[in-house]
Amino acid sequence: PNPELLPMPGPQMYRAVDRFHTESAELNPQARAETVKAAIERAEKDGLTAAGVYSNGTYVTGLFNSRGLEAFHEETSSEFSITMLKDGSSGWAKKTAPSCLELEPEVLADRAAQKALDSRDPQDIAPGKYTVILEPAAVLDLLGFLFFDFGGLSVHERRSCLTGRVGEKLFGDNINVRDDAFHPLQAGAPFDGEGIPRQRVKLVEKGAVTNLVYARATARKMGKTPTGHGFSLPNEYGEAPMNIVMDGGKKSIDDMVKSTPRGLLVTRLWYIREVDPYQKILTGMTRDGTFWIEDGEIKDGVKNLRFNQSLVDMLKQVEAMGAPQRTAGEESFEMVVPAMKVNEFNFSSATRY
């Protein structure tokens, strides 16, 4: 018996979202194969090796109970991801969307190919603190380690880096984040794993941590109102914001490069691990396109680097941002995030490749 188990919820009201696209539901293997063929031909044009994924599907979430709960959501999904390799260099690009018409596979294949070509014969640079321009995928895979800390149960059990810090200004004035399942670039159901309606929640405003999210059981423990962010029962995590939308700016990546006397452009990161949970220090490596910037121009590809960096400190050092976009990576869930120019990003060592 679980004395903390709440009664099942009754009927709820949900805001309608339309995320079912016929073109994604009906996309067949032959059509995907033709798209993959075009990507391979792009690789062969420059003697590159290509690997990737092109997938689509339909999924349904339904929650019904004897107390009158009726939660139902049908949605399509699509994904195109590609890596190009040649002579000790690589490039990568990925996109996901409810509609396959938004993927632009040819654009992604060309981007991956160009990164692989531009980063050939990578140079060595010394570890240290650099100005770094993080493309949206790199931003996403870092921030994915932060937002589980915005769950009420995580704070209640003192597992969160926000324990004792809710209400404090932890980040720079330009950092504003919300959880918004209804944003046009987001995906997913309008209800959580228990059938509770999702709410928009402002998590960070002008650098200050303003709110957490709560599942039903956590809300009861902490005297709060459920926000519709719980997972399906049973679960040991409680809740988390899974529809992250971060405000950005008006600078393009080219603008950020031109304004950088010396620094690095990073396509994406991988093998990320947490070093210090309270300061949110992460370690990991760059991958699939890391470039040296000098006098406002991309000069060379560089060998990949390992970083040791506090997310709390990083979000105090954001100099510029691009327009937010739906972003997919390999280490975290999809978010709507911008590219970032960050000062004093700490690279601790170089890698052989």
Side-chain angles (χ1 to χ4, degrees):
N2 180 1
E4 297 184 350
L5 187 65
L6 297 177
M8 292 185 295
Q12 307 288 323
M13 294 291 292
Y14 304 115
R15 176 177 169 178
V17 293
D18 183 7
R19 288 170 176 160
F20 184 92
H21 297 267
T22 303
E23 63 271 14
S24 291
E26 296 180 354
L27 182 66
N28 60 48
Q30 181 64 39
R32 293 200 309 272
E34 292 295 332
T35 299
V36 170
K37 178 184 177 183
I40 292 171
E41 289 173 348
R42 174 63 186 90
E44 291 174 339
K45 173 184 173 184
D46 289 302
L48 299 162
T49 299
V53 172
Y54 187 16
S55 68
N56 65 296
T58 302
Y59 65 91
V60 173
T61 303
L63 293 168
F64 303 88
N65 69 27
S66 57
R67 298 193 65 196
L69 181 72
E70 296 181 353
F72 183 83
H73 177 71
E74 188 173 23
E75 181 167 329
T76 51
S77 64
S78 63
E79 171 187 335
F80 188 87
S81 173
I82 187 164
T83 302
M84 301 275 199
L85 303 107
K86 183 173 184 178
D87 300 334
S89 66
S90 60
W92 171 90
K94 179 178 181 179
K95 191 170 182 178
T96 66
S99 171
C100 62
L101 300 181
E102 299 177 21
L103 294 184
E104 301 180 303
E106 291 182 6
V107 173
L108 298 176
D110 189 66
R111 184 187 306 163
Q114 200 59 54
K115 284 182 178 290
L117 295 169
D118 292 345
S119 59
R120 282 179 297 181
D121 302 317
Q123 306 299 304
D124 286 300
I125 65 166
K129 292 186 176 182
Y130 291 97
T131 295
V132 62
I133 298 166
L134 301 170
E135 293 195 4
V139 172
L140 173 140
D141 282 336
L142 289 170
L143 294 185
F145 283 79
L146 178 62
F147 288 110
F148 278 86
D149 289 49
F150 280 81
L153 186 63
S154 178
V155 171
H156 181 73
E157 295 180 345
R158 309 187 67 83
R159 295 181 282 111
S160 169
C161 71
L162 303 181
T163 301
R165 291 170 156 176
V166 177
E168 289 186 16
K169 183 179 173 65
L170 292 184
F171 315 121
D173 288 339
N174 56 353
I175 303 302
N176 295 280
V177 185
R178 66 188 184 276
D179 186 89
D180 185 358
F182 309 103
H183 190 280
L185 296 180
Q186 275 291 355
F191 50 85
D192 71 4
E194 296 185 76
I196 302 303
R198 292 192 182 277
Q199 298 178 19
R200 289 192 181 99
V201 179
K202 293 181 179 180
L203 303 172
V204 180
E205 295 183 74
K206 295 184 178 180
V209 178
T210 51
N211 292 292
L212 304 175
V213 297
Y214 303 95
R216 290 198 306 146
T218 306
R220 186 176 71 167
K221 286 180 181 179
M222 300 180 70
K224 303 291 184 178
T225 301
T227 59
H229 292 83
F231 299 115
S232 299
L233 298 178
N235 84 81
E236 60 187 18
Y237 300 105
E239 60 280 299
M242 303 297 288
N243 294 98
I244 295 298
V245 178
M246 186 173 191
D247 288 354
K250 298 181 179 180
K251 298 292 186 181
S252 68
I253 290 176
D254 286 344
D255 292 335
M256 296 182 204
V257 169
K258 289 176 183 177
S259 67
T260 304
R262 287 166 53 88
L264 290 160
L265 172 64
V266 174
T267 299
R268 74 179 184 113
L269 305 168
W270 77 302
Y271 224 105
I272 304 173
R273 298 292 183 269
E274 197 170 65
V275 177
D276 183 325
Y278 195 68
Q279 295 302 324
K280 252 336 180 240
I281 297 173
L282 306 178
T283 188
M285 289 176 280
T286 65
R287 182 175 183 175
D288 298 326
T290 307
F291 301 92
W292 176 247
I293 302 168
E294 190 169 323
D295 297 328
E297 295 182 358
I298 295 174
K299 293 294 186 181
D300 301 291
V302 299
K303 291 183 181 178
N304 288 311
L305 297 157
R306 173 172 289 280
F307 64 88
N308 272 63
Q309 175 65 47
S310 162
L311 279 185
V312 176
D313 291 342
M314 185 190 91
L315 293 175
K316 294 175 182 176
Q317 299 282 348
V318 178
E319 178 183 322
M321 288 184 282
Q325 57 186 269
R326 178 175 172 82
T327 304
E330 301 292 348
E331 301 265 336
S332 185
F333 55 94
E334 286 89 341
M335 303 179 194
V336 179
V337 294
M340 284 184 181
K341 180 178 178 180
V342 179
N343 296 317
E344 298 290 308
F345 193 93
N346 184 50
F347 291 100
S348 55
S349 62
T351 67
R352 295 178 61 188
Y353 167 55

